[in-house]
Amino acid sequence: MSDHPVIVTVTGHAEREFAPNRCTVALRVHADGTTREHAADPVTAAIVTLTDLVTELRERNNSPVTRWTFDQVRHSRHRPYSKDGKTRPWRYTSSASLTVTFREFDAVSAFVDTASEVEAVAIANLNWWITRKTREKRMAKVRDLAVRDALAKAKGYTKSLGYSDFRALAVADPGMLGLQPGPSPGAGGAPMMRAMRSAAASASEENGPGYSLEPDRITLSADVEARFEAS
């Protein structure tokens, strides 16, 4: 057993999975035709239907929808060419996009099912995420676990020397103490999410009305550098 204190500099890592508390559904509205009206009319009708659907959800008590956005309808045209280079008649296109953010996931399945049945509407993506305030609380927990991991590592390094008292000299973000740790899974504290678009599409096609969407849990991770004096 040594009578002299020793300085131990280590890294700590932690990660935990958390359930998302928001889901943003992205919808794409698109139609084309031989005239502007043929392209625009289905899109306009779809926008009215979707707006009514979202408005009804927003006006409920304890609405499951926190916010929604609508991108204005865009119109364009192009003139295709045949294989021999001759011009063909004009083709007209109209499109728009909407996003609807839910806090109640039970309402997502019903909304996706209803919206996907509307002509000219396609479900572009489902994004499961954690709000900033909740994410900060979750990250505080994960960072604390990373510091605990660093302390446990320091104790492990000095166990054979008989040290039992540890005093923290510094705790810092990666790189601040001059360490160069190898990459850790999910390093950086960024949420890691698996894609849900294909799962939503397959569920809609295979099961029809009444299916449920199960979001993947989101992994939050943290890395720290720490320096301890062991005695």
Side-chain angles (χ1 to χ4, degrees):
M1 177 178 176
S2 174
D3 294 330
H4 302 287
V6 64
I7 303 300
V8 185
T9 305
V10 294
T11 62
H13 173 77
E15 62 180 49
R16 290 293 185 274
E17 292 185 346
F18 300 97
N21 63 350
R22 293 292 186 272
C23 177
T24 298
V25 181
L27 305 102
R28 183 173 62 89
V29 188
H30 176 90
D32 56 22
T34 56
T35 67
R36 178 186 173 93
E37 290 73 20
H38 287 163
D41 289 350
V43 171
T44 301
I47 292 299
V48 171
T49 300
L50 292 175
T51 300
D52 290 344
L53 179 60
V54 176
T55 299
E56 189 275 328
L57 292 172
R58 287 284 286 171
E59 291 179 348
R60 292 181 185 177
N61 291 330
N62 299 319
S63 172
V65 174
T66 60
R67 69 187 299 267
W68 71 292
T69 64
F70 164 59
D71 184 20
Q72 65 180 358
V73 180
R74 303 178 184 276
H75 306 283
S76 63
R77 67 174 185 171
H78 70 281
R79 197 159 195 173
Y81 291 86
S82 63
K83 292 182 178 179
D84 56 8
K86 294 182 179 180
T87 58
R88 291 181 174 179
W90 288 101
R91 294 291 298 178
Y92 294 82
T93 299
S94 295
S95 62
S97 61
L98 295 88
T99 63
V100 186
T101 299
F102 290 84
R103 63 181 175 185
E104 296 292 341
F105 292 169
D106 290 342
V108 176
S109 297
F111 175 79
V112 168
D113 182 60
T114 302
S116 62
E117 293 295 324
V118 179
E119 182 182 359
V121 174
I123 308 301
N125 187 45
L126 271 67
N127 179 31
W128 309 92
W129 52 285
I130 299 176
T131 56
R132 182 173 61 181
K133 184 177 181 179
T134 300
R135 185 178 185 275
E136 290 174 351
K137 292 181 179 179
R138 301 289 186 265
M139 280 303 305
K141 177 180 179 180
V142 176
R143 291 190 186 101
D144 178 67
L145 292 173
V147 173
R148 292 173 183 267
D149 179 63
L151 177 58
K153 188 181 294 185
K155 291 180 177 180
Y157 282 142
T158 59
K159 181 178 180 180
S160 61
L161 300 177
Y163 291 111
S164 59
D165 295 326
F166 291 81
R167 183 169 66 94
L169 301 179
V171 178
D173 288 337
M176 299 297 292
L177 297 184
L179 303 184
Q180 295 181 345
S184 301
M192 300 165 56
M193 295 176 283
R194 300 181 180 91
M196 292 296 295
R197 179 179 178 182
S198 59
S202 61
S204 178
E205 294 171 0
E206 296 176 7
N207 301 328
Y211 66 87
S212 61
L213 299 174
E214 295 294 336
D216 283 345
R217 296 175 70 83
I218 297 173
T219 300
L220 299 180
S221 65
D223 291 273
V224 299
E225 294 179 356
R227 183 166 290 142
F228 299 94
E229 181 185 75
S231 58

